[in-house]
Amino acid sequence: MIKITFPDGSQKEYDKGITVEDIAGDISSSLKKASVAGFVNDELYDLNRPILEDADVRIVTKKDEKAFEVLNHSAAHLLAQAIKRLYPEAKFGVGPAIREGFYYDIDIDTQLSEDDLPKIEKVMHRISEEQTAIERHECTKEEALELFKDDEYKQELITDLNPSETISYYTQGEFKDLCRGGHIGSTKNIRHFKLLSIAGAYWRGDSDRNQLQRIYGTAWFTKKDLENHLEVLEERKERDHRKLGKELRIFELNNDAGQGLALWLPNGYTVRKALEDYVYKLERKAGYKHVSTPALGTKKLYEISGHWSHYRDNMFPVMERNDETFVLRPMSCPHHMLIYKSDLRSYRDLPIRYAEIVTQHRYEASGALSGLERVRAMTLTDAHLFVRRDQIKEEVLAAYNLIQKAISDLKLEIEYVELALRDKKKGKFHDDDKLWDLAEATLKELLDENDIEYTEMTGEAAFYGPKIDIQVRTAMGHVITMSTVQLDFLLPERFDLTYIGSDGDKHRPVVIHRGLISTWERLMSILLEQYKGAFPTWLAPVQIKLIPVNNEYHAEYAKELNDRFIDEDLRSELDLREEKLGYKIREAQTLKIPYQLVVGDNEVNDNQVTYRKYGEKKQTTVSVDEFIALVKKEIKDKA
Ligand code: TSB
Ligand code: ZN
């Protein structure tokens, strides 16, 4: 007999070799039905794996998060078995459960496309109907190497295993797979699943090794859960900024222009201009001065700043002509240091805040590029603040508050704040420990004093100093850096920046780097997804669309209105194309234009406008002046 202890402390004796499933059944038949696996002394056990000694047992039911993982991991095996039936030459990389499902990396001779997925799913369903038991086996390393001798990937995994580790593999019918477990007992328990997509994935993430085909899928315990999840995925797809950016004619990516080098279309550029005007005003009110500097600089400038020794991997290669050597700037800080240096500065002049909307270039790995979210040419809402030591906290906090205001004006939310610190072991940070300690301690103190919660991230600092990174969650579900405030004692040293103190001596200023609302590229990706493409009126590329019912009778008045709106600084457009009225209305709808004005007899006769707001059914008729006032108020309020 063995003694089983339950989470509530109660105990019971069972025969040696009892399984989690039997224990669940002993407690109640409904628990048996809901059970998926069990934790036996913190090790995940399959339902049918015998327990051989006294143990703490916690039964995992379908409601547990762990159960989803077990199910999805089992679904990955089911996928592999189906692949092996369809493509007997198949070899397999890894096949884990992930956040919302599973994947398996496979190596077969055929290049699969998404059209092949239903065929594979069909075989998976057949195997599920076969109700094959999923069984665990243990073996020695030699035995494992022999069992998987036809699969070079599994061989490599086995070779790398720790000698002290028990090696286990699982079988289901004719299929076997090297695996730690746990699994779901029988293929019959995997019924509600869907294969979603295919992508390329290098073996062990190493671009010098074989590229495998990665098939993604998701599995759920009930049909309803699966359907709900597929709906969420559909909705997410609708929100993907790459899709919306195309439909709304915001930007274009074309490999002939270059990967990660986006082209802004008229609509996108208009939104960007509106944002630019907004940023300029916001910064002027906050005491920033605007400057402009070139995208090209000498290599020497970046040697002085330290970018050349610490940041070169992220830079495009140098350009040489005659005796001159240039680089395409990855950042604007060095230029702003030179502007500071262009004049004599006194303690009374500080803080000096230079802002610039800066186009810069970074050589991001091609695999890391993703729509507008991560690009190689980007325009940053940048600033560098030159401050005295006694002004650091006040200025960092003011910069942080300005960021908060901008984020809230854009109706976005901060997901969390990261404090990015150096990693002493890594060579990519400047090596003056005293300056690092001071900068890191200052930012920590400031966050603590102001009750700003943050997560520390070791090794994520800039080479010149620690950063406060403000993270937002995109509607697609990933978390990215939106804004940043960075404290830098290094560049002032490197550029020998000084000011004359009240004591008449020379002192070093400190630099604060600030990214307000990221780059236009990343911001646009976030906004498109957040707004589902329906920009608020203050940002909409076209705010008003005028559609005459009949060009012959109504165009003249519509044109008058259009001119008037443009004079009032509203972005209005007149649709005089020879198209059907219904077509024009639908198109304005697809383009998510905030105000649609159909101009007919009533409007002409009464000198009025009838508008319909995007997303609303009702039509409202008002005087022209009232309409203008209403739209202007909405723009002013950023509603
Ligand atoms: C804030 N020198 C500082 C500046 O003064 C700087 O460049 N900091 S940064 O490297 O952190 O970049 C600033 C912001 O640019 C990031 O917070 C991020 O929002 C955005 N960004 C960085 N890399 C990319 C990229 N590849 N594509 C789009 N946006 C990016
Ligand atoms: Zn900078």
Side-chain angles (χ1 to χ4, degrees), residues 333 382 384 464 513:
C333 344
D382 203 0
H384 294 94
Y464 45 72
H513 305 241

Side-chain angles (χ1 to χ4, degrees), residues 307 331-334 337 380 382-384 464 486 488 491 511-514:
H307 283 82
M331 295 188 194
S332 69
C333 344
M337 302 300 128
L380 177 65
D382 203 0
H384 294 94
Y464 45 72
Q486 313 171 347
D488 178 2
L491 295 196
V511 165
I512 298 166
H513 305 241
R514 187 235 49 190

Side-chain angles (χ1 to χ4, degrees), residues 372-391:
L372 282 189
E373 199 172 294
R374 189 173 297 278
V375 290
R376 286 175 168 170
M378 63 201 84
T379 302
L380 177 65
T381 47
D382 203 0
H384 294 94
L385 289 70
F386 300 82
V387 309
R388 304 190 306 255
R389 287 205 180 197
D390 61 291
Q391 295 170 322

Side-chain angles (χ1 to χ4, degrees), residues 378-568:
M378 63 201 84
T379 302
L380 177 65
T381 47
D382 203 0
H384 294 94
L385 289 70
F386 300 82
V387 309
R388 304 190 306 255
R389 287 205 180 197
D390 61 291
Q391 295 170 322
I392 294 175
K393 282 190 182 169
E394 194 183 330
E395 284 300 314
V396 171
L397 191 63
Y400 178 82
N401 288 337
L402 200 67
I403 287 169
Q404 263 195 323
K405 157 127 181 72
I407 289 181
S408 114
D409 280 346
L410 292 167
K411 307 282 182 285
L412 300 173
E413 263 176 43
I414 297 180
E415 178 79 9
Y416 59 88
V417 172
E418 244 176 51
L419 176 59
L421 307 169
R422 77 191 186 287
D423 182 342
K424 285 184 189 159
K425 295 188 292 282
K426 287 199 185 137
K428 64 175 187 169
F429 305 102
H430 81 75
D431 54 10
D432 189 331
D433 278 332
K434 264 202 2 234
L435 292 185
W436 272 109
D437 289 341
L438 178 63
E440 293 185 347
T442 310
L443 288 189
K444 264 189 219 180
E445 257 173 47
L446 174 130
L447 291 167
D448 290 337
E449 283 164 10
N450 291 283
D451 288 326
I452 300 169
E453 269 185 53
Y454 61 93
T455 327
E456 287 187 17
M457 297 291 286
T458 310
E460 296 292 313
F463 76 85
Y464 45 72
K467 318 193 270 188
I468 296 174
D469 273 349
I470 290 141
Q471 309 291 107
V472 299
R473 183 184 289 281
T474 69
M476 300 288 287
H478 23 135
V479 174
I480 45 175
T481 304
M482 168 97 175
S483 315
T484 185
V485 188
Q486 313 171 347
L487 192 53
D488 178 2
F489 291 94
L490 180 77
L491 295 196
E493 294 281 339
R494 295 269 191 157
F495 283 90
D496 190 24
L497 305 185
T498 57
Y499 66 89
I500 307 298
S502 53
D503 53 6
D505 289 342
K506 278 187 178 175
H507 296 267
R508 276 253 185 276
V510 177
V511 165
I512 298 166
H513 305 241
R514 187 235 49 190
L516 183 67
I517 39 175
S518 190
T519 52
W520 294 143
E521 288 73 16
R522 180 169 293 183
L523 179 65
M524 181 55 86
S525 78
I526 295 170
L527 293 184
L528 277 171
E529 291 179 9
Q530 178 72 19
Y531 303 151
K532 291 196 203 165
F535 287 98
T537 306
W538 73 284
L539 291 176
V542 179
Q543 295 167 322
I544 301 166
K545 184 69 125 192
L546 286 155
I547 308 172
V549 175
N550 183 324
N551 280 355
E552 201 176 323
Y553 306 117
H554 311 122
E556 197 185 313
Y557 179 59
K559 168 98 176 66
E560 242 173 67
L561 287 175
N562 192 48
D563 288 352
R564 170 90 196 273
F565 295 153
I566 292 172
D567 282 338
E568 296 280 356

Side-chain angles (χ1 to χ4, degrees), residues 256-283:
D256 288 340
Q259 288 189 75
L261 302 171
L263 312 176
W264 289 77
L265 306 181
N267 283 340
Y269 185 70
T270 307
V271 180
R272 178 174 159 164
K273 275 290 277 173
L275 286 162
E276 209 169 283
D277 293 346
Y278 162 74
V279 168
Y280 273 117
K281 273 191 197 155
L282 189 73
E283 286 178 337

